[in-house]
Structures are given as structure tokens and as C-alpha cells.
Amino acid sequence: MLKLTGHPLFDVGAATIAAFSGKTDLSSVTEQDLDNIATFMERQYVLDPLKSFLTVVFPNSGFTQPAFEKQPEKRIEYAKKVLWAHKSSVSNLKEKCVFTRNFAVAIAFSDKLSLGRTARQHIPLTTGEGVINFHPYGQAGLPVSGIALLCIQAFPLGCAKCAGKLLAVHSDNEDILIYFAKEFLTKNRENLAFAQATGSSKLREFDYAQKTLLIHTLHKVIKEIRNNLENNGLFSLTAYHMSNSGQNPSLDIYNLPLEITSFISRIQNPDYKDDWQIIVNKAWRIQDQTKKAGSVKINYLYEDIFKLPDSAEEFIRLYFLRVALKWAKKDDPRGNYSSVQEAEIVSWKITSLFLREVMNLNKDRIENIRTVADKLASYVFENNDRKFFRNFFTEQKYEYFRAILLKANFYTVKQGKEPLINFEPYLDIFEEGEELAYKDWRLARDLLLIRMIEQLHYKGWFAKNLDVLTEIEEDKEATN
């Protein structure tokens, strides 16, 4: 009865109907399921708090029309018309629904529109009743079927209320789509019950900022449907943070492409999830006790995921190498990050997964970096070479950095040992050609440091050299 169309308004609404009915796939939704959610909406949409909530998505509709405050029967009449159009047996129009390609329903939803046509009060972010722009043959409105209209009316129930707007999550994976709708629907119904119990006319907003909420919920969803994901493969995700307000309509779009969702999915595996959770826990905004209660929760790591893959180098340096963010605000925990003091959470395993999934880095280059880093860590440990570690960490000019490595290499060979790094691995890691550095040579240095710090922590070197952090900070201040 229901199937994905690729349009977020219809698809999220259809997923909400499935979730409301306790179904895990759209194909199992029945006529009775449509009737059940129509009954729920008919009862709740004409009353606060949902009536107030709907002003964001269906302004000037029969649900929210201020003129109907003293004429509640008109609200009920409107609700019956739009919510039960799927039951109409009159569908003799030649026009097809823009969403389903079924015939549009022969019902007048407005005295200003032709039969079966809808406007902004029925479908968010479309044009008003009298606007003919962008419509063929100068006929205002969009033709819809009764089922499509019901799905779009159900749409807000499967969205999260964030910052006074709706957050809708759409995916090409039906399981992801339905479970997001289920999570948001469940919370909305909880908030509805709370408002009714306390006599509130407002539906509470979700506790998280919208980007943080997306990743936080995605983790939960992936955990629930992991087996299905393994069978169905990769997926992408697009979120829409929107308002259909008459005075200030808006739409912000957040994309999570395949490489990002693949990383988020893989990071939930037992090999990674505990270490990842520690990194996540240290990225939550510090709550100021002097501020009023109810301020939204923000996880800066989750927020920064939406800058990937473009800002991958900065992401690695900040969250995996734990280099403090210099200009962090008072409530931003990233200003307190420390590579040495937090060496126990510097993880090469997570970093290498990120390199493969998000940056698509060549496997041979990743392995070369790991091998060379292990040799450098052994060199620092065996020689207690604090100066080398400090200079390696802080040097900003490539020619001087190269000289530091060459000097350590020469010293090792002079001792009769195997070189720390050979010519070909060095070129693979740092240079496009002899003495021509990669533009991202600092990224390669950071990756080496991540593995070195991890290994030196395991060897107990930092426990005896904690003051190396002070030396590094002093060097960094001198070079800035």
C-alpha cells in the first residue's frame, strides 16, 4: 500500500504511519493502519499542544487557523476532509498525484483551488493558493492523492522539534527511515502526554541541538538494526531542519554521505565502540550551572562530523591526536584536550578506520605510517630522546622537520641498527617527489604521532616524562 517515492515529505510521513502501527516495513501497512493514525490525528491535531505545534508546518491550515478559535466545528470539518481523503471513492480526475502517480482525489481542499489540488497550508514549503508561478498551465496548487495527503499530514509526528523548527530525517534505506521516524514519534507522544498531564499548550522541544540529535539518534538506530544493515549494505542520510512559517520560512539541509555513515556504522562494532565512546564523552559541552535549566545539549564531535570529509585533517588532529583547540570558549571542553595527558585515549585503531572509511587513504600508506611510527616510538623510548619527540611534535617548517628525521635516522644507523625509515616509505608518507613535500605532510606527521603516543603510553614512557607536555606547550607558544 505504501512505498518510498524519494520525496522526504511523503517518505517520512509514510515511515511515521508504519512506526505508529508498529510495522517495520512500508509494504505491511494496511488500510486499518491508515484509519488508526487518521483517527489519532483527527482527535489531537485540533487541540493543543499539537495544534500549536502544527503552526510550524501547516500555518493557516484548518488545524491552526486563528479564525476557527471560536468555531471548533470548522476545525473538525477540515480535519475530516484532509485526514480521511484516502477513503474517498471519488477519484475520477485525470490528474495524477505528484508524489505517488495515482489519480488525484476529487475533493476541494480550498475554495480557491481546483479539485484535488493543495497549497502551502497542506504541503510545507510550497506556494500559496493564488500563486501560479512554477505550476504548469497556470493552474495553482499541486494535485495529490488521498494517501499522499495523509502521509504529509502525519509527517510532523515523525520529526523532532528543535530550535522552534522541525527536523526530518530521510534515507535511501527504509530501515533507517522508519526507525528515525519511530524514535521521534515515540518522543513526541511522550511530550504530548506530558503536556496534557501538566496542562501545557506547548510541546516540549528535544533536549539536543539538531546536528547532535542526528548523530546521537543514528548511533541508537544502527545499534537496533545492525543485522539488517549488514544485509542491506551502505546507506546515505539527509536531514531537513525546516519551518513553513508564513513570516519566516526556512530550510537547512544536512547531508551524511556513504563514507560518513559507513564510518559511524563500523565504529559501533565491539572492536571500536568502547574507545569511541570515551572520545565522544569528552566532547559534550560543559554545562554552566549558572544558566537556566533546559539548555540544549551539544556534542562538538557530533557537530563536526557534518564538516567531513572536507575538514578531515582538523578532525583527526583535534579528536584523535587530542591537540587542544586554541580559541575554545569557556564551555567548550576541546580547549582542555592534551595529547600527552590524554594519551590513554589516543587510538591508532580508530584513526586507521577513519582513514579507510572517511578519507579513503591507500592501505599501503596507512601500513607504512604504522610501521614507521612504531620504529620512531621505540627510538624515543630506548634513547629517552625528549628533544626529538618535542621537535617532531611542534616543528612547522617541512625542511626542518625533514632534518629532524634525517638526524635521528643517521644516529640510529651509526649505532649499527636498522634505519628508522627507508627511502621509499619516506617518499610514500611525506613526498610527491624528492624534497617535494605533500601538501598534507602535517597530516602524515599527526598520524605518526597518534601511533607513537599510543605506543609510548603502553611502554610507560609518559609516566616518567609528563613534563614533556610543558616543553611542547612552550615550543608551540614560541612558534605561534
Side-chain angles (χ1 to χ4, degrees):
M1 178 169 287
L2 294 178
K3 61 181 180 179
L4 298 181
T5 66
H7 196 289
L9 293 177
F10 179 96
D11 289 354
V12 172
T16 303
I17 293 174
F20 186 90
S21 307
K23 304 294 177 63
T24 57
D25 61 276
L26 297 182
S27 62
S28 63
V29 172
T30 65
E31 185 80 23
Q32 184 61 51
D33 295 329
L34 301 184
D35 293 349
N36 289 342
I37 195 167
T39 300
F40 174 82
M41 291 189 289
E42 183 183 11
R43 183 173 65 251
Q44 298 294 345
Y45 275 16
V46 298
L47 303 171
D48 284 330
L50 289 187
K51 175 165 67 71
S52 174
F53 172 60
L54 293 177
T55 58
V56 176
V57 63
F58 301 130
N60 295 321
S61 69
F63 298 127
T64 61
Q65 177 58 251
F68 290 176
E69 286 295 328
K70 296 181 180 180
Q71 298 174 297
E73 68 279 0
K74 288 192 174 183
R75 281 215 170 94
I76 296 172
E77 179 184 345
Y78 176 85
K80 289 183 180 297
K81 181 181 292 186
V82 299
L83 297 175
W84 293 94
H86 67 284
K87 303 293 283 188
S88 175
S89 59
V90 182
S91 58
N92 55 0
L93 299 180
K94 293 182 179 180
E95 286 193 301
K96 297 261 183 102
C97 173
V98 294
F99 298 100
T100 66
R101 304 310 298 162
N102 297 327
F103 287 109
V105 63
I107 294 177
F109 297 109
S110 167
D111 56 7
K112 298 179 181 180
L113 295 170
S114 302
L115 291 181
R117 286 182 171 258
T118 55
R120 185 177 180 180
Q121 67 267 36
H122 312 108
I123 302 177
L125 301 179
T126 57
T127 55
E129 293 176 332
V131 180
I132 63 173
N133 299 44
F134 312 112
H135 294 289
Y137 309 111
Q139 296 182 16
L142 295 176
V144 297
S145 64
I147 287 181
L149 188 57
L150 179 65
C151 288
I152 292 169
Q153 302 309 296
F155 166 81
L157 290 174
C159 299
K161 185 182 179 185
C162 298
K165 303 177 184 180
L166 290 183
L167 182 69
V169 178
H170 188 254
S171 176
D172 52 0
N173 182 292
E174 187 174 312
D175 293 319
I176 293 289
L177 181 69
I178 291 176
Y179 271 87
F180 257 100
K182 176 185 174 184
E183 285 288 324
F184 293 164
L185 173 66
T186 300
K187 186 65 175 178
N188 283 330
R189 296 188 75 173
E190 289 175 1
N191 289 342
L192 172 62
F194 176 83
Q196 291 173 335
T198 59
S200 174
S201 63
K202 299 292 184 181
L203 197 69
R204 289 192 302 186
E205 294 202 349
F206 281 55
D207 296 332
Y208 302 92
Q210 53 268 22
K211 293 179 183 178
T212 296
L213 176 63
L214 280 170
I215 305 300
H216 178 73
T217 307
L218 183 56
H219 278 314
K220 293 174 62 178
V221 171
I222 288 174
K223 184 177 179 180
E224 282 197 50
I225 63 173
R226 174 163 299 281
N227 291 335
N228 288 349
L229 281 179
E230 290 173 356
N231 295 331
N232 296 338
L234 300 175
F235 66 94
S236 61
L237 183 149
T238 304
Y240 302 86
H241 192 218
M242 54 161 286
S243 169
N244 194 37
S245 167
Q247 295 181 338
N248 188 29
S250 63
L251 175 64
D252 294 310
I253 301 176
Y254 309 127
N255 290 308
L256 288 177
L258 294 177
E259 60 266 34
I260 308 303
T261 57
S262 176
F263 172 75
I264 294 173
S265 180
R266 292 283 304 280
I267 205 69
Q268 296 299 304
N269 289 342
D271 289 343
Y272 307 103
K273 68 175 184 178
D274 290 341
D275 293 339
W276 173 249
Q277 193 58 50
I278 294 173
I279 296 172
V280 168
N281 289 344
K282 288 181 174 290
W284 288 101
R285 182 173 67 177
I286 300 168
Q287 294 295 316
D288 189 343
Q289 300 302 319
T290 63
K291 292 184 178 180
K292 64 179 182 179
S295 59
V296 295
K297 300 173 184 176
I298 295 177
N299 188 288
Y300 291 102
L301 183 151
Y302 287 169
E303 300 281 315
D304 286 343
I305 280 177
F306 289 88
K307 299 176 183 177
L308 297 173
D310 293 343
S311 64
E313 294 182 29
E314 293 84 354
F315 192 94
I316 288 171
R317 186 168 179 79
L318 180 59
Y319 295 108
F320 300 155
L321 184 55
R322 313 299 294 173
V323 174
L325 187 64
K326 187 175 182 180
W327 305 113
K329 295 181 180 179
K330 183 180 178 181
D331 61 354
D332 189 339
R334 297 173 296 177
N336 300 319
Y337 287 179
S338 168
S339 302
V340 175
Q341 291 184 348
E342 295 182 303
E344 72 278 2
I345 64 174
V346 174
S347 170
W348 174 254
K349 183 166 57 177
I350 287 178
T351 303
S352 60
L353 177 67
F354 183 89
L355 295 175
R356 295 193 304 271
E357 297 291 336
V358 177
M359 300 186 69
N360 196 28
L361 203 66
N362 182 280
K363 290 183 179 180
D364 291 336
R365 192 176 183 204
I366 295 174
E367 182 59 25
N368 278 338
I369 291 170
R370 186 195 65 80
T371 301
V372 170
D374 286 350
K375 290 181 178 180
L376 292 175
S378 294
Y379 168 80
V380 171
F381 179 77
E382 291 168 4
N383 295 279
N384 197 31
D385 197 337
R386 295 157 55 100
K387 183 178 180 181
F388 171 81
F389 181 79
R390 183 180 71 243
N391 291 340
F392 188 93
F393 200 120
T394 59
E395 185 54 63
Q396 297 301 310
K397 293 184 177 181
Y398 178 70
E399 57 270 26
Y400 295 156
F401 174 80
R402 186 171 183 266
I404 291 167
L405 273 176
L406 288 173
K407 184 177 179 181
N409 216 31
F410 178 75
Y411 177 76
T412 302
V413 173
K414 191 175 179 180
Q415 288 181 316
K417 298 178 181 179
E418 183 180 317
L420 294 175
I421 184 169
N422 294 319
F423 180 70
E424 289 188 3
Y426 182 85
L427 287 182
D428 180 60
I429 295 172
F430 288 110
E431 296 188 356
E432 297 180 81
E434 190 171 354
E435 298 188 26
L436 181 61
Y438 282 120
K439 290 182 180 180
D440 64 350
W441 73 267
R442 290 184 181 85
L443 169 62
R445 187 265 303 279
D446 288 348
L447 296 175
L448 288 167
L449 276 168
I450 288 171
R451 178 67 178 183
M452 287 170 64
I453 289 172
E454 181 187 67
Q455 294 302 301
L456 288 170
H457 171 69
Y458 289 152
K459 294 174 184 291
W461 187 74
F462 289 120
K464 299 177 182 178
N465 293 275
L466 280 177
D467 55 335
V468 76
L469 173 64
T470 304
E471 297 172 6
I472 289 172
E473 292 299 326
E474 289 174 350
D475 278 5
K476 286 169 64 179
E477 288 295 329
T479 56
N480 286 336

